[in-house]
Amino acid sequence: MGGTLRYGTVTEVASLDPHVYVGSAWKVLIEAIYSPLVGYDAKGKIVSRLAERWETPDAKTTVFHLRKGVTFHDGTPFSAEDVKFSLDRIMDQKTGATLRTNLAGVTVSVVDANTVKLATAEPNATLLSILALPEAAIVSKKWIEGGPNVKVQANGTGPFVLKAYEPSVRALLEKNTKYFIKGQPYLNAVEFKMIKSDDARVNALRTNAVDMIDFVPWKDIDTLRRVANLTVDSSGGAFMNLWFNATRKPYDDVRVRKAFAYAIDRAAISKAAFFGHGTPIEGPPTTSDSPYYNKDLAKTYKYDPARAKALLAEAGYAKGFEFEFLVFQGLGIYTSTAQIVQANLKDVGINAKIQLVEFADLLDRKNKANYDVMIYGVSMKLTDPDVYAYYLGADSTYWAKPIGYRDDTLEKLLVDGRATIDLNARKAIYRKVEQRVMETSPWAFVNFREQAQAYTKKVRGYSHLGGALNESSAGISLPTMWIQ
Amino acid sequence: MLGYLGRRFAAAAITLALACAAVFASIHLLPGDPVAMLLGEQAGADPEVVQKMRGQLGLDRPLIEQFISWIGGLATGDLGRSLRTGEPVFADVMVRLPRSLELIGGGLSIAMLLGIPLGVVAARGRGRVAGTAASVAAIAGFSAPVFVSGIILVIVFSLWLDILPSSGFVEFAEDPTMHLACLALPATAIGINFMGVVARMTRASLSDTMTKEYVRLARAKGLSRDAAILKHALPNALVPVIAVIGIRAGNLLGGTVIVEALFDWPGLSSMLVSAVFARDYPVIQGALVAIFAVFVLIGLAIDTCQGIVDPRTRESAA
């Protein structure tokens, strides 16, 4: 076992700051170089990383007992101070960390060199699932205080050490021989090649210039599956939606939003835009393998143009209306989806004027609430159903806050869900959350987007995960992968 | 002569300064916010966090102040730091620029090696099969977009014959053979495309020169037609061709985007495109300034050469 894995990725990783997410491959790199307190295994279970074990004396407190004898790649010993420093760095607004709001209200205190206590103001059932993400990486206090450029240098406790890095081009990792999990990693080295062009990435795999690629273009999934030497794994890891500016007329009317949801022919989109690799979402965006999946809601919004028309008439738009449909121009899955939705809406009398924009423009208009309806691809960030607070919660800057959307019923349910520890009680709460989401239709869900990785038969030990851990599949598998 | 060069340098410096001002003004007109791109979908939409980050990056200062400090830095060769990586832009440009120049140099060499003989054949054999065939090849070369010829090259040389890598880049110091193998296909894609232009230019210029009296004189002295063309007509006919190639080299510097993307060649164009998508202002500015600077230098070189070769240019410029 061993070897060098050459990994071709679509993401141009321009920064390695371990607390600011910049794309899928960033996540894989950070998980390889750094370690969080806890992590996920290939089944999605939370397992030990820098914390050897942990306990929750009460619903607002978690105590972590840290591994002893762990050192950072630069040789500095790891201790409880580093944990406090790292989590405080995430919570500091100046860092711009991805998980800042998820950790809001957490107080970190050092009990002794090997023990850390986390206290939350309110009971918080999601804490462990947040701390297990690569974005919750533990950095060395001493190293950061020395003022390195954390965007191009790295110093973690993870299974691999950063050897060479050219931003947006390449990163070379070598085995950390002192990794705290004995016997891992199996690989001697990993070379990340950032190949943005879809054709170049696929050709690099076919000509054996790389061993594995991420983000297999949907048009190539079936073709590559027929190549004898290759394996293609795919599963839903993101989903496509129509985002309404739900506080602007006429989208503030739930009947109009529902009309959109009924008007979309999701099967046609799956077939034409995703080459069959995009399961329609007629209910809430929860995959059927999740413990929170509710099959009673799964068929809420079946394709029904007549019903869409009736709802529009009820809302006073029997003659329809015209709107600007904001669409990201860079990927065929967006533009093809837009064209089908446009035709579907025309059938019910709505005239969608497609406006193609760059991602920076789309993001800017989202943040400034300057849009009617846009297509938005959402990657499932969290394994916990509290992800609905991120998607739709009034305080989340992701979607609701910029447009000032607030649904008090939903807000109360989300608070309850976060404060409830018991799994069955939580299930009951999130059933209500999903029912409420279906009733209010703040987004029109379109389809799951299969995310695929392709690799040669020499690559062993890779597990492709679905749902929220999909992006982490390579990161989780990396320590136990090898080249045959 | 020195006065002439001085004037040319002054004109070049003014051109460069105006270009810098235009670049700075225009990229700030682009919709989109670098901080939102930097921090992502959630944190990048949080006004307080965004404001703090702006402060740290110096983006909260008035535009005019940012421009003055940038121009001030430019004068000392400091192009600022990338918003994404925090690294000096000048160093990044110096890594990327040689790679692009190498790609363009390779492409232009191939274009000349193929295009000039094609042009000669076309001019020499006007109205005959060989001449027509050469003209058709030239037209096919520049009519096929680079991404079409590029993909055909990949299919033939990488997927079928399996003799050249389909894409990628390896530092020359690390593995010279692999470095050149990676260069072969993208350079050929540029070469084939530009070969057509070179062939057409050569043909037109040579046809014209062949009617000149000194060529007829050479023939009258008993030289064969081919000898007259190759020894007397061609060298003179190539002067305008070289000038066009020079200008084109500058154009290509910003225009190899498609080739660099298709072949995953990490040159200046791909750096520029990636910076534009991320709104990494200092990198966009730095890359464009580098392109302008090379462009101006090429222009200056052409002017200087012409000034040396042809005294009339020098006088008319005065």
Side-chain angles (χ1 to χ4, degrees):
Chain A
M1 286 202 254
T4 298
L5 174 73
R6 296 163 306 162
Y7 188 96
T9 174
V10 68
T11 325
E12 289 187 339
V13 182
S15 161
L16 290 177
D17 186 320
H19 296 145
V20 185
Y21 172 91
V22 295
S24 303
W26 171 91
K27 207 155 177 161
V28 179
L29 275 160
I30 296 305
E31 187 146 20
I33 300 168
Y34 292 90
S35 315
L37 283 173
V38 287
Y40 288 101
D41 69 5
K43 293 194 172 64
K45 208 176 120 232
I46 289 177
V47 292
S48 149
R49 285 287 184 267
L50 285 172
E52 204 167 32
R53 59 197 166 81
W54 55 94
E55 71 240 355
T56 38
D58 61 72
K60 296 180 187 176
T61 317
T62 313
V63 177
F64 292 93
H65 300 278
L66 309 176
R67 284 178 197 263
K68 292 178 187 127
V70 176
T71 54
F72 285 95
H73 297 158
D74 68 354
T76 319
F78 155 75
S79 85
E81 285 295 338
D82 298 311
V83 176
K84 177 171 169 54
F85 179 82
S86 303
L87 298 181
D88 286 346
R89 183 175 190 266
I90 292 173
M91 288 183 270
D92 184 353
Q93 283 190 333
K94 283 211 298 279
T95 310
T98 308
L99 295 181
R100 187 183 68 89
T101 47
N102 300 86
L103 291 183
V106 173
T107 330
V108 189
S109 43
V110 174
V111 178
D112 61 47
N114 301 305
T115 318
V116 178
K117 192 171 88 180
L118 267 67
T120 51
E122 300 297 324
N124 188 340
T126 70
L127 194 60
L128 270 184
S129 70
I130 299 293
L131 293 172
L133 294 168
E135 290 94 325
I138 303 302
V139 295
S140 158
K141 179 179 183 213
K142 190 177 152 216
W143 181 67
I144 298 266
E145 284 178 347
N149 182 357
V150 290
K151 292 171 171 178
V152 295
Q153 290 166 269
N155 178 32
T157 53
F160 293 92
V161 181
L162 183 70
K163 274 288 159 197
Y165 174 52
E166 182 181 347
S168 307
V169 177
R170 170 182 110 112
L172 181 66
L173 309 183
E174 274 177 14
K175 180 179 191 157
N176 174 10
T177 49
K178 292 183 185 137
Y179 184 47
F180 55 77
I181 297 180
K182 291 289 161 260
Q184 291 184 14
Y186 302 162
L187 287 163
N188 292 321
V190 188
E191 186 181 9
F192 286 82
K193 297 182 178 194
M194 300 162 203
I195 314 176
K196 201 176 174 71
S197 152
D198 281 349
D199 288 331
R201 204 164 59 257
V202 168
N203 285 332
L205 180 73
R206 297 187 67 159
T207 55
N208 204 22
V210 296
D211 307 304
M212 183 171 204
I213 59 167
D214 65 9
F215 219 77
V216 178
W218 289 269
K219 67 177 170 55
D220 294 313
I221 292 179
D222 290 337
T223 324
L224 291 183
R225 280 206 169 121
R226 286 194 289 270
V227 178
N229 182 37
L230 299 178
T231 307
V232 183
D233 290 341
S234 70
S235 56
F239 57 94
M240 304 290 279
N241 316 276
L242 303 188
W243 276 16
F244 302 107
N245 190 338
T247 51
R248 186 187 269 189
K249 267 191 182 324
Y251 319 100
D252 57 342
D253 188 327
V254 62
R255 291 168 297 192
V256 172
R257 301 198 298 261
K258 281 184 167 177
F260 272 78
Y262 281 117
I264 306 166
D265 183 356
R266 296 170 177 82
I269 292 171
S270 170
K271 215 165 152 185
F274 289 85
F275 299 84
H277 301 284
T279 314
I281 309 178
E282 294 169 338
T286 304
T287 46
S288 55
D289 54 5
S290 161
Y292 293 92
Y293 178 73
N294 176 4
K295 84 175 193 312
D296 301 341
L297 291 177
K299 297 281 173 199
T300 311
Y301 289 103
K302 292 180 79 165
Y303 177 49
D304 192 345
R307 192 143 175 204
K309 267 186 169 160
L311 279 162
L312 284 174
E314 211 183 296
Y317 295 96
K319 288 195 181 120
F321 57 88
E322 188 178 282
F323 73 100
E324 186 193 44
F325 191 20
L326 220 52
V327 181
F328 171 50
Q329 47 99 11
L331 276 175
I333 50 168
Y334 283 81
T335 48
S336 304
T337 300
Q339 285 164 352
I340 297 167
V341 170
Q342 185 185 42
N344 291 158
L345 290 174
K346 200 163 191 76
D347 291 342
V348 300
I350 301 174
N351 187 13
K353 290 177 71 183
I354 294 177
Q355 173 78 33
L356 295 177
V357 291
E358 255 184 82
F359 192 65
D361 200 359
L362 188 84
L363 213 51
D364 197 41
R365 293 188 59 177
K366 162 184 105 66
N367 294 344
K368 290 181 177 147
N370 177 20
Y371 63 96
D372 289 324
V373 182
M374 62 167 80
I375 298 189
Y376 210 87
V378 173
S379 61
M380 298 179 228
K381 291 283 173 209
L382 310 176
T383 52
D384 194 276
D386 185 46
V387 73
Y388 278 110
Y390 166 67
Y391 294 158
L392 304 169
D395 294 324
S396 170
T397 48
Y398 188 52
W399 171 75
K401 200 167 183 182
I403 58 170
Y405 178 86
R406 169 183 282 276
D407 173 14
D408 289 327
T409 313
L410 180 70
E411 291 302 314
K412 196 186 164 311
L413 286 168
L414 290 172
V415 170
D416 288 351
R418 208 172 306 139
T420 307
I421 310 282
D422 177 68
L423 182 67
N424 283 322
R426 292 195 94 203
K427 275 188 186 169
I429 293 170
Y430 286 103
R431 275 181 102 90
K432 285 189 196 153
V433 166
E434 292 198 328
Q435 268 163 13
R436 183 66 189 163
V437 171
M438 288 293 101
E439 275 163 30
T440 51
S441 188
W443 302 353
F445 303 107
V446 179
N447 61 319
F448 286 112
R449 190 163 107 185
E450 272 185 35
Q451 302 289 126
Q453 305 257 137
Y455 48 98
T456 65
K457 300 272 190 232
K458 287 189 307 187
V459 176
R460 301 297 168 90
Y462 173 72
S463 328
H464 195 73
L465 311 174
L469 291 177
N470 179 268
E471 259 190 323
S472 293
S473 300
I476 291 170
S477 306
L478 216 47
T480 50
M481 281 170 74
W482 75 96
I483 299 288
Q484 189 71 38
Chain B
M1 184 71 202
L2 276 179
Y4 167 74
L5 279 184
R7 282 193 300 278
R8 296 306 302 152
F9 270 109
I14 292 167
T15 313
L16 196 58
L18 288 176
C20 289
V23 161
F24 191 92
S26 57
I27 63 168
H28 283 90
L29 289 176
L30 285 176
D33 178 355
V35 176
M37 293 299 283
L38 216 57
L39 299 183
E41 300 162 311
Q42 190 181 21
D46 187 329
E48 278 179 49
V49 174
V50 168
Q51 202 45 44
K52 284 222 161 67
M53 193 55 77
R54 273 182 195 293
Q56 289 176 61
L57 295 169
L59 291 170
D60 56 346
R61 297 174 299 162
L63 262 191
I64 187 76
E65 196 185 317
Q66 291 183 46
F67 179 68
I68 291 169
S69 83
W70 178 63
I71 281 286
L74 193 62
T76 62
D78 176 6
L79 295 173
R81 282 174 184 269
S82 159
L83 300 178
R84 285 176 298 167
T85 67
E87 292 289 284
V89 174
F90 184 78
D92 285 350
V93 167
M94 291 321 280
V95 168
R96 299 284 193 130
L97 181 63
R99 294 178 188 163
S100 281
L101 291 178
E102 185 188 2
L103 180 60
I104 292 164
L108 292 181
S109 309
I110 292 170
M112 285 192 281
L113 281 176
L114 299 174
I116 294 174
L118 263 184
V120 173
V121 172
R124 196 184 158 275
R126 275 181 113 164
R128 278 181 281 156
V129 178
T132 313
S135 294
V136 169
I139 292 169
F142 73 75
S143 305
V146 200
F147 58 86
V148 172
S149 48
I151 286 169
I152 293 173
L153 287 171
V154 168
I155 292 173
V156 174
F157 292 98
S158 304
L159 293 170
W160 287 356
L161 300 175
D162 195 16
I163 49 173
L164 288 169
S166 61
S167 69
F169 175 82
V170 178
E171 292 287 354
F172 186 80
E174 215 170 287
D175 184 347
T177 320
M178 193 59 189
H179 175 87
L180 294 174
C182 287
L183 178 66
L185 290 186
T188 309
I190 293 177
I192 287 180
N193 187 253
F194 193 46
M195 163 197 86
V197 179
V198 174
R200 299 284 290 180
M201 281 288 302
T202 309
R203 175 178 174 271
S205 172
L206 189 59
S207 304
D208 184 45
T209 318
M210 274 158 66
T211 63
K212 291 271 157 63
E213 282 186 359
Y214 64 87
V215 179
R216 273 189 261 161
L217 180 71
R219 287 277 281 146
K221 272 166 45 186
L223 249 72
S224 73
R225 182 160 182 262
D226 288 342
I229 290 176
L230 291 179
K231 279 197 179 146
H232 296 272
L234 189 59
N236 285 303
L238 283 185
V239 172
V241 177
I242 303 279
V244 168
I245 290 172
I247 291 165
R248 182 66 181 217
N251 274 331
L252 275 176
L253 203 51
T256 50
V257 177
I258 295 167
V259 174
E260 287 191 7
L262 193 62
F263 292 96
D264 189 32
W265 186 266
L268 197 62
S269 284
S270 45
M271 179 190 188
L272 176 60
V273 170
S274 144
V276 168
F277 283 138
R279 304 292 188 261
D280 193 337
Y281 296 147
V283 176
I284 304 176
Q285 287 158 201
L288 287 176
V289 166
I291 290 170
F292 283 131
V294 172
F295 214 92
V296 168
L297 281 176
I298 290 172
L300 202 57
I302 293 174
D303 284 354
T304 311
C305 291
Q306 277 180 345
I308 293 167
V309 172
D310 186 351
R312 284 172 303 175
T313 336
R314 219 151 62 207
E315 276 148 27
S316 65

